[in-house]
Amino acid sequence: MIVLQLQQRIIENKDWATLLFLLCFVVIAIIKYLFEIQFNEFLRLPFSKKYTSTYKDTSNLYSAFTISMFFVQLISFSFLIQIILSYFDYTTKANWITFIQIFTTLFVAILIKFYVEKIVATIFDIEDFLEIFNLKKVTYRTYIGLIFLPIVILLYYNNFLSVGIISIFLAIIGVGMIYFYFLSIITYQKQILSKIFYFILYLCTLEIGPYYLLYHWFTKK
């Protein structure tokens, strides 16, 4: 006699992720409509210096364009981290609680880092330079997040992630950040050379340090 054993099929709900992806596209569409010229120049960021030279005023760091694109970037990177964690069986792609934890952690970490940098800049008397530096850093990081968004969507709804793809993502982020720092040093070499000690101290403690700690934690865990 054949005994049939029924197993419950667990279907994960991905509706919340779909809504977030749609929200990102709605925000991008609104931004493109309201700031069409700025958005078009932003898309040409890797190939042209026009965006960084036109929108170099530090007030742009708190503009609607920057803040809106910042949240799109946060959603993109949060999904990317969750997808990578699901690949290593730390969670699942459809776990919305994990997503909220990742999103909140990223947001709080960036916010704390931003205000710590302002305190350090005040102590070292480099406020003006750091404001410009932060604006360029946010701009390039937001661009990477925007480029990653469609790739993240493909990875979320498909299962072809591999160590090679993860390495490519990390390499793109690493090369992008190195490219940004190289451009910044070339552009602001006079300001940097005048306060070279403070700049190196800032770079090691607030830029390289956090990434090293994340790498150390990830490789150990």
Side-chain angles (χ1 to χ4, degrees):
M1 183 177 179
I2 300 175
V3 179
L4 298 177
Q5 184 177 0
L6 300 177
Q7 293 183 347
Q8 183 179 3
R9 183 181 179 186
I10 301 174
I11 302 176
E12 295 179 318
N13 187 353
K14 297 182 178 180
D15 291 347
W16 63 272
T18 304
L19 290 174
L20 280 178
F21 289 136
L22 286 174
L23 177 63
C24 286
F25 286 118
V26 168
V27 170
I28 292 170
I30 293 173
I31 289 297
K32 188 179 186 307
Y33 176 76
L34 295 177
F35 307 94
E36 184 176 359
I37 296 175
Q38 184 175 356
F39 185 81
N40 290 334
E41 292 298 335
F42 177 75
L43 292 180
R44 290 191 284 267
L45 184 63
F47 317 104
S48 173
K49 294 181 179 180
K50 188 174 181 180
Y51 181 87
T52 52
S53 60
T54 304
Y55 304 97
K56 62 182 179 180
D57 191 275
T58 54
S59 61
N60 285 297
L61 188 61
Y62 310 99
S63 67
F65 180 91
T66 303
I67 293 173
S68 300
M69 296 302 293
F70 170 73
F71 277 100
V72 172
Q73 168 212 162
L74 271 182
I75 292 174
S76 178
F77 281 128
S78 297
F79 271 114
L80 177 61
I81 292 171
Q82 179 151 341
I83 291 168
I84 293 174
L85 290 177
S86 70
Y87 177 79
F88 292 104
D89 295 325
Y90 286 108
T91 185
T92 62
K93 289 190 288 188
N95 191 329
W96 61 273
I97 296 177
T98 302
F99 177 83
I100 292 174
Q101 291 172 337
I102 294 170
F103 183 89
T104 305
T105 302
L106 275 179
F107 178 74
V108 172
I110 291 172
L111 204 62
I112 291 174
K113 186 173 180 293
F114 175 76
Y115 284 108
V116 169
E117 286 175 351
K118 289 183 75 69
I119 294 171
V120 172
T122 303
I123 295 172
F124 293 161
D125 193 25
I126 53 174
E127 299 100 320
D128 294 337
F129 165 71
L130 198 61
E131 284 283 312
I132 299 171
F133 187 76
N134 270 331
L135 176 61
K136 292 195 71 172
K137 182 170 61 177
V138 168
T139 299
Y140 279 93
R141 193 171 59 205
T142 300
Y143 187 87
I144 294 173
L146 181 64
I147 295 300
F148 276 2
L149 183 60
I151 304 172
V152 166
I153 293 173
L154 285 175
L155 290 174
Y156 186 83
Y157 292 106
N158 297 277
N159 296 313
F160 53 82
L161 187 65
S162 65
V163 175
I165 294 176
I166 294 173
S167 300
I168 290 172
F169 273 120
L170 296 178
I172 291 173
I173 294 172
V175 170
M177 296 306 294
I178 292 171
Y179 176 71
F180 157 73
Y181 289 126
F182 176 76
L183 283 182
S184 299
I185 291 171
I186 294 296
T187 306
Y188 307 110
Q189 54 183 316
K190 290 183 179 179
Q191 295 93 322
I192 290 173
L193 288 174
S194 64
K195 299 181 183 292
I196 187 66
F197 173 75
Y198 296 140
F199 180 75
I200 293 174
L201 187 62
Y202 159 79
L203 205 63
C204 292
T205 54
L206 294 177
E207 293 297 330
I208 299 174
Y211 294 110
Y212 174 77
L213 290 174
L214 282 174
Y215 170 78
H216 180 75
W217 175 84
F218 187 76
T219 53
K220 290 298 181 183
K221 295 297 182 179

